[in-house]
């Protein structure tokens, strides 16, 4: 009987504005847990790639770093990036796994490539275990808005196992003093008739920490009445704590906050050291996005609000009295 190949993971490393995405660094940590070699892949424009490669080659856990630069990779469209991955993975590749963060772009690219190669993809995994003897990999992933955990085993009959990683479940890999990984350039695969075109990117600018990676988050719900009250009530507290601002779907749908601040099943999944929920009832969709937080503090006038079932500290009170008092105390 042929011995299964030792694991060799290809990690798709995303970057933005000259920095590697922290979610991709979590994906690198997950790939390292397979117990074999790890190769990184950086794709971007000729202006971006060289500086990213300099940072990426120093990352702990990477053995090799591949990079491909082309003007058409300045924005990662699935239609233009997928052919590069297809080519890399279809020519007797050494890779047994393809890994990325569970980001919006990777969620479009990886399943597309997996389908082209006729293999399944496992999404949003929170843990993994590779059995070297059988060549199978077992993953866990949340389902039903986080109320159940599904265990999925990808057997050795799947030649390349694709999976995306929930970044809050794995620590971000850091740069080390060890030997730098070997760097190799890949020729780009030009797509002359791409059916989609990137028109523009609209980013919400904020001086506060990024919601997805902040260690403290202050969130508000529908009880904050309107956008002006949302800002005047929560922003001073967030600034005093050095926290990011989040919102429930009800608050976002009502126009109190931008949808980039939405926490929950259809928003961002966060797991900060401190999560403070003001005027949030705790619908199941919201809990799915924050219940892994280390310390959850809830303030709500309704003593029966579901948020109190997951809160470590709960206060039944009027948030419009509590928040200003907290800000005053923090300023002292």
């Amino acid at each position: 009987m042929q011995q299964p190949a030792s694991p060799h993971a290809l990690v798709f490393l995303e970057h933005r504005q000259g920095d590697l995405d922290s979610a991709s660094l979590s994906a690198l940590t997950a790939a390292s847990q397979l117990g074999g070699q790890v190769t990184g892949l950086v794709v971007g424009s000729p202006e971006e790639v060289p500086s990213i490669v300099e940072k990426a080659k120093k990352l702990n856990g990477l053995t090799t770093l591949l990079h491909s630069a082309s003007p058409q990779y300045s924005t990662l469209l699935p239609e233009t990036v997928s052919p590069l991955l297809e080519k890399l993975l279809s020519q007797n590749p050494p890779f047994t796994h393809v890994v990325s963060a569970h980001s919006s772009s990777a969620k479009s690219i990886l399943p597309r490539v997996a389908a082209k190669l006729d293999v399944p993809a496992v999404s949003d995994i929170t843990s993994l275990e590779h059995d070297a003897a059988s060549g199978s990999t077992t993953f866990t992933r949340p389902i039903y808005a986080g109320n159940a955990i599904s265990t999925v085993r990808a057997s050795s009959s799947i030649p390349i196992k694709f999976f995306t990683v929930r970044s809050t479940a794995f620590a971000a890999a850091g740069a080390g003093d060890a030997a730098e990984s070997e760097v190799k350039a890949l020729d780009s695969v030009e797509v002359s008739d791409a059916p989609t075109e990137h028109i523009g990117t609209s980013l919400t600018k904020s001086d506060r920490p990024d919601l997805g990676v902040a260690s403290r988050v202050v969130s508000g719900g529908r009880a904050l009445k309107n956008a002006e009250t949302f800002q005047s009530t929560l922003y001073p507290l967030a600034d005093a704590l050095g926290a990011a601002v989040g919102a429930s779907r009800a608050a976002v749908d009502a126009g109190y906050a931008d949808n980039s601040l939405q926490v929950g099943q259809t928003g961002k999944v966060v797991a900060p050291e401190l999560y403070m929920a003001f005027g949030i009832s705790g619908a199941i969709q919201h809990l799915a996005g924050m219940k892994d937080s280390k310390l959850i503090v809830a303030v709500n006038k309704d003593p029966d609000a579901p948020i109190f079932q997951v809160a470590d500290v709960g206060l039944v009170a009027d948030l419009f009295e509590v928040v200003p008092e907290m800000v005053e105390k923090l300023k002292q």
Side-chain angles (χ1 to χ4, degrees):
M1 182 177 172
Q2 187 178 2
Q3 185 72 16
S6 61
H8 187 167
L10 176 68
V11 184
F12 185 58
L13 296 171
E14 296 178 69
H15 53 91
R16 187 180 289 111
Q17 297 176 339
D19 288 315
L20 287 157
D21 274 5
S22 63
S24 288
L25 302 182
S26 297
L28 173 55
T29 299
S32 300
Q33 292 182 9
L34 291 165
Q37 292 186 66
V38 180
T39 295
L41 173 62
V42 171
V43 177
S45 69
E47 295 78 29
E48 298 171 312
V49 167
S51 63
I52 295 297
V53 166
E54 283 303 310
K55 295 176 182 178
K57 69 182 183 181
K58 299 172 185 173
L59 290 172
N60 288 326
L62 270 190
T63 47
T64 310
L65 181 63
L66 306 177
H67 62 90
S68 184
S70 167
Q72 71 173 2
Y73 297 151
S74 57
T75 304
L76 296 183
L77 294 175
E79 293 83 356
T80 54
V81 177
S82 299
L84 174 69
L85 280 161
E86 275 178 66
K87 181 183 176 185
L88 180 62
L89 296 169
S90 58
Q91 302 169 338
N92 295 317
F95 307 112
T96 58
H97 298 76
V98 178
V99 192
S100 79
H102 193 61
S103 65
S104 55
S105 57
K107 281 189 285 187
S108 301
I109 295 167
L110 256 68
R112 186 185 186 95
V113 177
K116 289 272 195 173
L117 298 177
D118 198 24
V119 294
V122 183
S123 62
D124 203 20
I125 67 118
T126 52
S127 74
L128 60 89
E129 187 176 344
H130 184 72
D131 182 8
S134 66
S136 65
T137 309
T138 304
F139 307 98
T140 61
R141 55 185 300 271
I143 56 174
Y144 301 127
N147 283 300
I149 301 297
S150 171
T151 301
V152 182
R153 187 172 75 235
S155 70
S156 58
S157 63
I158 300 171
I160 305 176
K161 301 165 181 64
F162 283 71
F163 64 94
T164 62
V165 173
R166 178 173 289 203
S167 59
T168 55
F170 297 88
D177 300 324
E180 295 178 355
S181 53
E182 183 185 1
V183 178
K184 296 178 182 176
L186 291 178
D187 292 333
S188 62
V189 178
E190 298 299 320
V191 179
S192 57
D193 54 350
T196 57
E197 176 190 356
H198 178 255
I199 302 299
T201 301
S202 177
L203 295 174
T204 304
K205 291 182 171 62
S206 173
D207 294 330
R208 297 183 184 87
D210 178 51
L211 177 60
V213 296
S215 61
R216 298 170 184 170
V217 174
V218 173
S219 277
R222 201 197 323 249
L224 281 142
K225 299 178 182 176
N226 54 51
E228 293 75 25
T229 310
F230 187 95
Q231 292 181 20
S232 63
T233 304
L234 294 189
Y235 285 16
L237 178 60
D239 292 340
L241 288 169
V245 173
S248 68
R249 177 167 182 170
V252 170
D253 287 349
Y256 302 176
D258 187 81
N259 59 10
S260 65
L261 303 183
Q262 184 178 322
V263 173
Q265 185 180 12
T266 52
K268 291 183 178 173
V269 176
V270 299
E273 297 293 323
L274 172 66
Y275 187 89
M276 305 186 80
F278 295 96
I280 294 175
S281 62
I284 190 170
Q285 293 89 348
H286 186 78
L287 300 185
M290 46 64 74
K291 65 182 180 183
D292 289 333
S293 304
K294 310 299 182 289
L295 179 67
I296 299 171
V297 177
V299 177
N300 201 298
K301 282 204 292 191
D302 180 7
D304 297 321
I307 191 77
F308 289 126
Q309 294 174 13
V310 298
D312 300 291
V313 180
L315 178 61
V316 179
D318 186 340
L319 72 90
F320 295 109
E321 296 173 3
V322 171
V323 174
E325 192 175 339
M326 291 179 73
V327 174
E328 284 302 313
K329 288 273 200 298
L330 287 165
K331 285 181 177 177
Q332 290 173 6

